[in-house]
Amino acid sequence: MEFLDTPNPNAKKILVDHDFETSIYLNEDISTASLEVSILLKISGIKNIFTGPGFITITKDDSTTWDDIIQDFNNKFDSI
């Protein structure tokens, strides 16, 4: 998964095909989330995950770095 920069320094975009409705915010109640999205939902520091056609956008809180989020994602994904 590639985390792409956006104009907002606290947001990253990920290009991905998904079956979610367009323009919804994802939360832990989503039972049909892909493995990658399920992992993202469990990473501390992520404020929200928003879907759009062919992408999801992740917004983090100010106190968390992208390096921490990406490392946490990779660690959790690699351990599966």
Side-chain angles (χ1 to χ4, degrees), residues 7-79:
N8 177 351
N10 285 337
K12 296 271 187 195
K13 184 177 188 178
I14 300 169
L15 302 179
V16 61
D17 288 327
H18 57 74
D19 295 329
F20 301 117
E21 291 179 38
T22 302
S23 302
I24 63 167
Y25 286 93
L26 301 179
N27 58 44
E28 291 183 9
D29 296 333
I30 302 292
S31 61
T32 60
S34 68
L35 175 61
E36 294 88 354
V37 172
S38 296
I39 291 170
L40 289 169
L41 288 168
K42 295 176 181 159
I43 294 176
S44 69
I46 293 180
K47 286 174 39 176
N48 60 54
I49 301 174
F50 177 77
T51 69
F55 72 91
I56 59 175
T57 298
I58 301 163
T59 306
K60 69 172 190 68
D61 62 36
D62 290 332
S63 64
T64 306
T65 68
W66 281 114
D67 288 338
D68 290 340
I69 288 173
I70 293 169
Q71 181 178 353
D72 195 10
F73 174 83
N74 289 331
N75 289 341
K76 287 179 176 167
F77 191 77
D78 290 342
S79 68

